[in-house]
Amino acid sequence: MSRPKTGDKRAAILDAATETIAREGIGASTASIAKAAGVAEGSLFRYFPDKDTLLNELYCEIKSDMRSAMVADFPDAAPLRKRVRHIWDSYVDWGLARPSKRQAMLQLNVSERITEASKAEGEVRFEGAKEAMLQLVALGRLHGLARAFASDLLLAMAETTIGAMAASPADADRYRTVGFEAFWSAAAKKESREKTPKISE
Amino acid sequence: MSRPKTGDKRAAILDAATETIAREGIGASTASIAKAAGVAEGSLFRYFPDKDTLLNELYCEIKSDMRSAMVADFPDAAPLRKRVRHIWDSYVDWGLARPSKRQAMLQLNVSERITEASKAEGEVRFEGAKEAMLQLVALGRLHGLARAFASDLLLAMAETTIGAMAASPADADRYRTVGFEAFWSAAAKKESREKTPKISE
Amino acid sequence: MSRPKTGDKRAAILDAATETIAREGIGASTASIAKAAGVAEGSLFRYFPDKDTLLNELYCEIKSDMRSAMVADFPDAAPLRKRVRHIWDSYVDWGLARPSKRQAMLQLNVSERITEASKAEGEVRFEGAKEAMLQLVALGRLHGLARAFASDLLLAMAETTIGAMAASPADADRYRTVGFEAFWSAAAKKESREKTPKISE
Amino acid sequence: MSRPKTGDKRAAILDAATETIAREGIGASTASIAKAAGVAEGSLFRYFPDKDTLLNELYCEIKSDMRSAMVADFPDAAPLRKRVRHIWDSYVDWGLARPSKRQAMLQLNVSERITEASKAEGEVRFEGAKEAMLQLVALGRLHGLARAFASDLLLAMAETTIGAMAASPADADRYRTVGFEAFWSAAAKKESREKTPKISE
DNA sequence: GATGAATGAGGCTTCATTCAT
DNA sequence: GATGAATGAAGCCTCATTCAT
């Protein structure tokens, strides 16, 4: 899309890597990535010492992009339900709007070439979201379990929802909402519905 | 692990491919798979004309194995909740008991080398499970949406649950149950729990 | 065509090799030859210790077949022209009737895997033909040159003629005759045609 | 032989392929060709996407080289006999001077890996020669037959002649002349010798 | 004898990476 | 810095040959 006219080859390479890996998987050659980026084969290695580094930095970059989408306008002071809904919507909309990034991330997520360090780095600076998830766990159905479980559940359910939305664009809005309600029911307090609003506080 | 002494090289190769791909990803070389299977590299190609075929047959084989686990003892006549719980437990236990198969399947699932035909074949003969999912969708919170959405949601949540169980074996039982309750809350009817039994009919 | 019902696997293999090599060249695999012969892969090596031997024996066999065609009914006592015409027609008809053998021979002829010994063996027992060629050289336009030159010229011209006949079956008879006349003019004495009979004596 | 110091690797590879194929046949490995060319095996594939392309381009290249030899100094305005003699001599001398190219061409000519397109391309731009052959056919012994038949006959006879010259270098000149006379007698007008000169006019 | 599964060397091709320009 | 030609290790696959049944 936006092939930077500026000398920003690094970004061009990361973009091209996203597209190419989304299409061809982790096995995409550095040559094809460089070509898609409009740079010489060798130039790729001026910005990334080797392919593994490129993959790891791409992973971090996409995570960071996703984070930005979630962090933007995060309603820190809103009720829990609103905050979780924000996370949900941000993630789902991000994935829908950037299918290549999402697809590339699916590939990177299962790759043995992404280091633990990269995965750890992907976790940082989601503070508002983490805090919301902590509260959700503390007050809800997942009480006593690891916060990561709630986060992973949200991501897994959102991922499934995105897939359904992409497959049936006409029903996209319903899927987003129903998906969220499903997650909320799964994770929020199990008491009678009347009390649920209280939980979300 | 247990290298079959029988002449069943095909099975040995599939087993070795499972282990190797679980460890190294789809990029695992045919040489390493053959070696792990204890056969010559050329022998691999007597059983599978090329690597893509091996991958696709491995995919189908693992799916079939998973299916067998779910279909076994399927309580066709039980209430919906019991049947869904059976699906949940079967899947979760299968994944926990066969971490390599599960891990390999994660890799195969995102690979562009698995054909639509293979994916379609993976769907068949889950009749009891499909039927349960149809009822769940018809009567529950996902009313009006595609059955596949419910199935995918279950798989995604179970997957997440398996991950958590594997990470904290001590809490495994709690995760399995809580995970299921989360799914059930996500998908089953939203009315008060007392009415839930009615739904399951 | 005639897949021998008898136990004559050796002949079946040679036949199959002829067809397969005609179609795929010298690179045809022993497996494909065995399959075409209707025998097991390993059986081929009971009749021929290795592929090179198979190729060389095939070469000799086809040469021998060709020789048989030429030697049959050879008019030893006829005038030279008649004898040469017999050679010509025998060769041309043989090649036309057995396109696979001819095509396989074209491949074998240029192969570095055919030994000098095989080539030498291919020469023997063409006595009547050799004698005719010797006379032709002695009395004709190629006077003083090697007999092999005349033979090779005949074969080369006949080969070209066969190719033309195969390409235009409707004109086959004309090509055969014109081809022979061309060879005769090329090799026989240059004096007026009336005297030719004298030469041929 | 003379390994070009220039960066012209492509030509070096074609040269090496010529030598290697002349020696070992079409089955010569890309590794041996690359080695003979003094380049890494991978480099070969920068110039030719695969071995088949290499073979086809080699075929075209050699044909083109042969064409150049024939076209050079072609006496368009000379009498027919002179023009045909030019073709004959050019071809024979070319083949004698470049035994590897000739030998390689013999291999390529019978290979199923040379496409029809390559063969067609090999035919173009022989205009002067074609024209001469057309006249020869129109006026001579092959009257009414395809021009290609005359051309093929010339090539086949020249090929045989080259073989004889190579085998007996001492008699080379005689073979060249006698070979031509044989071809001329074979193809030119059959009328009485007195008239033959007229034809050749 | 006959079979065909098994073998592993070797062939073609790809690709991450280097380096001279 | 940027380039892309060059490299050769490594990958997938074929195949002549062996050998247990």
Side-chain angles (χ1 to χ4, degrees):
Chain A
M1 191 142 291
S2 56
R3 192 66 41 268
K5 279 91 185 167
T6 90
D8 203 354
K9 304 214 164 154
R10 196 190 128 91
I13 292 168
L14 286 171
D15 277 5
T18 305
E19 302 293 334
T20 310
I21 287 172
R23 219 180 319 112
E24 303 172 23
I26 292 289
S29 72
T30 52
S32 68
I33 293 170
K35 189 176 178 190
V39 305
E41 268 179 67
S43 298
L44 188 150
F45 293 94
R46 298 205 140 271
Y47 294 92
F48 307 93
D50 53 32
K51 192 181 180 182
D52 275 11
T53 305
L54 167 61
L55 293 176
N56 278 278
E57 299 203 0
L58 180 59
Y59 175 90
C60 292
E61 222 256 346
I62 297 182
K63 270 268 157 107
S64 163
D65 186 64
M66 184 196 308
R67 194 161 50 221
S68 300
M70 281 185 186
V71 165
D73 309 316
F74 192 80
D76 286 288
L80 182 57
R81 195 179 202 270
K82 274 234 160 68
R83 281 178 284 149
V84 173
R85 177 81 202 224
H86 180 88
I87 295 171
W88 178 271
D89 283 348
S90 305
Y91 182 66
V92 165
D93 289 342
W94 177 88
L96 266 181
R98 292 159 190 79
S100 298
K101 287 194 177 176
R102 177 175 159 254
Q103 187 62 36
M105 184 50 83
L106 290 179
Q107 303 275 356
L108 294 167
N109 266 330
V110 300
S111 171
E112 60 294 338
R113 302 171 77 170
I114 302 304
T115 65
E116 288 308 313
S118 297
K119 287 181 179 166
E121 199 196 311
E123 298 296 316
V124 303
R125 275 185 294 171
F126 270 106
E127 306 314 338
K130 278 187 187 168
E131 171 64 17
M133 291 317 251
L134 274 175
Q135 288 183 28
L136 183 61
V137 167
L139 301 172
R141 197 181 287 276
L142 307 176
H143 184 80
L145 303 180
R147 177 199 37 96
F149 184 59
S151 305
D152 291 347
L153 219 43
L154 181 143
L155 291 180
M157 295 180 76
E159 202 56 67
T160 304
T161 302
I162 294 171
M165 292 168 80
S168 315
D171 298 322
D173 284 342
R174 277 182 65 215
Y175 272 113
R176 180 178 16 231
T177 297
V178 173
F180 172 72
E181 293 298 341
F183 174 70
W184 186 253
S185 303
K189 198 149 194 183
K190 45 183 176 252
E191 269 66 15
S192 69
R193 279 165 66 240
E194 300 86 71
K195 290 160 114 181
T196 305
K198 249 171 62 186
I199 295 164
S200 68
E201 231 35 87
Chain B
M1 197 141 287
S2 58
R3 194 58 43 246
K5 276 83 185 170
T6 92
D8 204 353
K9 298 238 157 101
R10 196 191 130 91
I13 292 168
L14 285 171
D15 277 4
T18 304
E19 302 294 333
T20 311
I21 287 172
R23 217 179 321 110
E24 303 172 22
I26 292 289
S29 72
T30 52
S32 67
I33 293 171
K35 190 173 177 190
V39 303
E41 191 171 6
S43 299
L44 188 151
F45 294 96
R46 286 204 142 259
Y47 293 92
F48 307 94
D50 52 34
K51 192 182 178 182
D52 275 12
T53 304
L54 167 61
L55 294 177
N56 278 276
E57 299 204 0
L58 180 59
Y59 175 90
C60 291
E61 222 257 346
I62 297 181
K63 270 267 156 108
S64 164
D65 186 64
M66 183 195 309
R67 193 162 50 220
S68 300
M70 280 186 187
V71 165
D73 309 315
F74 191 79
D76 286 286
L80 182 57
R81 191 179 203 271
K82 274 234 158 68
R83 282 177 283 149
V84 173
R85 177 80 201 226
H86 179 88
I87 295 171
W88 179 270
D89 282 349
S90 305
Y91 183 66
V92 165
D93 290 342
W94 177 88
L96 264 183
R98 292 159 191 80
S100 298
K101 287 193 177 178
R102 178 177 156 253
Q103 188 61 35
M105 185 49 82
L106 289 179
Q107 303 276 355
L108 294 167
N109 267 330
V110 300
S111 171
E112 59 293 339
R113 301 172 77 171
I114 303 302
T115 65
E116 288 308 311
S118 297
K119 286 181 179 167
E121 199 195 312
E123 297 297 314
V124 302
R125 274 185 294 172
F126 270 107
E127 305 315 336
K130 279 186 188 169
E131 171 64 17
M133 287 316 213
L134 274 175
Q135 289 182 28
L136 182 62
V137 168
L139 301 171
R141 193 182 290 278
L142 307 176
H143 184 79
L145 303 181
R147 171 187 55 85
F149 185 59
S151 305
D152 290 348
L153 218 45
L154 181 145
L155 292 179
M157 295 178 76
E159 203 56 67
T160 305
T161 301
I162 294 171
M165 292 167 81
S168 315
D171 298 323
D173 284 342
R174 277 183 65 217
Y175 273 114
R176 179 177 19 228
T177 298
V178 173
F180 172 72
E181 293 298 341
F183 174 69
W184 186 255
S185 303
K189 200 147 192 187
K190 33 187 178 264
E191 269 68 15
S192 70
R193 278 167 66 241
E194 299 86 72
K195 289 160 119 181
T196 304
K198 246 172 61 187
I199 295 163
S200 69
E201 231 35 85
Chain C
M1 193 140 291
S2 56
R3 191 66 40 260
K5 278 92 185 166
T6 91
D8 202 354
K9 304 214 165 153
R10 195 190 128 91
I13 293 169
L14 286 171
D15 277 4
T18 304
E19 302 293 333
T20 310
I21 288 172
R23 219 179 321 111
E24 304 172 22
I26 291 289
S29 72
T30 52
S32 68
I33 293 171
K35 189 175 177 190
V39 305
E41 269 178 66
S43 298
L44 189 150
F45 292 94
R46 297 205 140 271
Y47 295 93
F48 307 93
D50 53 32
K51 192 180 179 182
D52 275 12
T53 304
L54 167 60
L55 293 177
N56 278 277
E57 299 202 0
L58 180 59
Y59 175 89
C60 291
E61 221 256 346
I62 297 182
K63 270 266 157 107
S64 162
D65 185 64
M66 183 195 309
R67 194 159 52 219
S68 301
M70 281 186 187
V71 164
D73 308 316
F74 191 79
D76 286 288
L80 181 56
R81 193 178 202 272
K82 274 234 159 68
R83 281 178 284 148
V84 174
R85 176 83 201 223
H86 180 87
I87 295 171
W88 178 271
D89 283 348
S90 306
Y91 183 66
V92 165
D93 289 342
W94 177 88
L96 265 182
R98 291 159 192 79
S100 298
K101 288 193 176 175
R102 177 175 159 254
Q103 187 63 35
M105 185 49 82
L106 289 179
Q107 304 275 356
L108 294 167
N109 267 330
V110 300
S111 171
E112 59 294 340
R113 301 170 77 170
I114 302 303
T115 66
E116 287 309 313
S118 297
K119 286 181 180 168
E121 198 196 313
E123 298 296 317
V124 302
R125 274 185 294 171
F126 270 106
E127 305 315 336
K130 278 187 188 169
E131 171 64 18
M133 286 315 210
L134 274 176
Q135 288 183 26
L136 183 61
V137 167
L139 301 172
R141 195 182 288 277
L142 308 176
H143 185 80
L145 303 181
R147 175 194 43 92
F149 185 58
S151 306
D152 290 348
L153 217 45
L154 181 145
L155 292 179
M157 295 179 76
E159 203 56 67
T160 305
T161 302
I162 294 171
M165 292 168 81
S168 317
D171 298 322
D173 285 342
R174 276 182 66 216
Y175 272 114
R176 180 179 14 231
T177 296
V178 173
F180 172 71
E181 293 298 342
F183 174 69
W184 186 254
S185 303
K189 199 146 192 189
K190 33 185 179 265
E191 271 66 16
S192 70
R193 280 166 68 241
E194 300 86 72
K195 290 159 116 180
T196 304
K198 247 170 63 183
I199 295 165
S200 68
E201 232 32 88
Chain D
M1 197 142 287
S2 59
R3 195 55 43 245
K5 275 83 185 171
T6 93
D8 205 353
K9 297 239 157 100
R10 196 190 128 91
I13 292 168
L14 285 172
D15 277 3
T18 304
E19 302 293 333
T20 310
I21 287 172
R23 216 179 323 110
E24 303 172 21
I26 292 289
S29 72
T30 52
S32 67
I33 293 170
K35 191 173 177 190
V39 304
E41 193 171 4
S43 298
L44 187 151
F45 293 95
R46 287 205 143 260
Y47 293 93
F48 307 94
D50 51 34
K51 192 182 177 183
D52 274 12
T53 304
L54 168 60
L55 293 177
N56 277 276
E57 299 204 0
L58 181 59
Y59 175 90
C60 291
E61 223 256 347
I62 297 182
K63 269 266 156 109
S64 164
D65 187 63
M66 183 195 309
R67 193 161 52 221
S68 300
M70 279 187 188
V71 164
D73 309 316
F74 191 80
D76 286 287
L80 181 57
R81 192 179 204 273
K82 274 233 158 70
R83 281 178 284 149
V84 173
R85 176 80 200 227
H86 179 88
I87 295 171
W88 178 271
D89 282 348
S90 305
Y91 183 67
V92 165
D93 289 342
W94 178 88
L96 265 183
R98 292 159 191 80
S100 298
K101 287 193 177 178
R102 177 174 158 257
Q103 187 62 35
M105 184 50 81
L106 289 180
Q107 303 275 357
L108 295 167
N109 267 330
V110 300
S111 171
E112 59 293 339
R113 302 171 77 170
I114 302 302
T115 66
E116 288 308 312
S118 297
K119 287 181 179 167
E121 200 195 312
E123 298 296 316
V124 302
R125 274 186 293 174
F126 270 107
E127 305 317 335
K130 278 185 188 170
E131 170 65 17
M133 291 319 251
L134 273 176
Q135 288 182 29
L136 183 60
V137 167
L139 301 173
R141 195 181 288 278
L142 307 176
H143 186 78
L145 302 180
R147 171 186 56 83
F149 185 58
S151 305
D152 290 348
L153 219 43
L154 181 145
L155 292 180
M157 295 179 75
E159 203 56 65
T160 305
T161 302
I162 294 170
M165 292 168 80
S168 316
D171 298 322
D173 284 342
R174 276 182 64 217
Y175 272 113
R176 181 179 15 230
T177 297
V178 173
F180 172 72
E181 293 298 341
F183 174 69
W184 186 254
S185 302
K189 199 146 192 188
K190 44 182 175 251
E191 270 66 15
S192 70
R193 279 167 67 241
E194 300 85 70
K195 287 161 116 183
T196 306
K198 246 171 64 185
I199 296 163
S200 69
E201 232 33 88

